[in-house]
Amino acid sequence: MELRHLRYFLAVADALNFSRAAERLRVAQPALSRQIHDLEEQLGFRLFERSTAKVQLTETGRFFQQQVAKLLMQLDIAVTGGQRIAKGTTSNFRIGTDWNMARLFATDAARELHQGHSANGAPAGQPD
């Protein structure tokens, strides 16, 4: 099974139409149908109920759709995180305040923290 199979599956599951999914993916519809068929063969279960009028996810297909969406989201997080590390932009700093806290205080505190961080020799926005 390849990532391509999973991405194709999600496109069809979202569109519930092979032609529209193929158009979105910019692949030929017969090739998309073949990839979904191959995925079903590898998995050992049907993902879709197909008729001339419509395409529907099977119960197993709905479960698989949820899990694959989570998996691909996690993969996207991993890729983005790796890219940020490679670029040296891994630091995040968030300040949470109470809604009635004066905005000026938060702004001043953030400025002082930033100046203190920069004074330690670390470039602004870079980890120590």
Side-chain angles (χ1 to χ4, degrees):
M1 173 180 342
E2 299 177 25
L3 283 176
R4 170 177 35 93
H5 290 109
L6 300 178
R7 292 184 199 283
Y8 286 6
F9 162 71
L10 283 183
V12 176
D14 289 342
L16 292 177
N17 183 293
F18 279 80
S19 296
R20 279 195 299 263
E23 188 176 302
R24 288 180 193 161
L25 292 166
R26 298 181 183 183
V27 298
Q29 187 271 324
L32 176 60
S33 294
R34 182 76 216 156
Q35 294 296 316
I36 297 300
H37 176 75
D38 291 348
L39 178 61
E40 288 176 325
E41 288 289 316
Q42 290 176 13
L43 294 171
F45 55 83
R46 294 183 57 80
L47 296 166
F48 298 100
E49 292 295 331
R50 301 161 179 87
S51 73
T52 55
K54 62 182 177 178
V55 174
Q56 289 184 309
L57 284 163
T58 62
E59 182 178 350
T60 308
R62 283 190 297 277
F63 173 79
F64 194 68
Q65 178 187 26
Q66 293 170 351
Q67 300 307 311
V68 168
K70 290 177 191 176
L71 176 70
L72 292 182
M73 187 182 307
Q74 195 63 39
L75 178 61
D76 186 48
I77 291 168
V79 169
T80 302
Q83 290 170 339
R84 291 184 69 202
I85 290 169
K87 291 177 183 175
T89 56
T90 59
S91 291
N92 286 327
F93 183 77
R94 293 187 175 104
I95 298 175
T97 64
D98 188 23
W99 69 271
N100 61 5
M101 185 179 201
R103 230 186 295 170
L104 184 59
F105 170 77
T107 304
D108 289 342
R111 185 179 303 111
E112 286 180 36
L113 181 64
H114 177 70
Q115 289 170 347
H117 183 73
S118 296
N120 290 335
Q126 298 293 320
D128 287 332

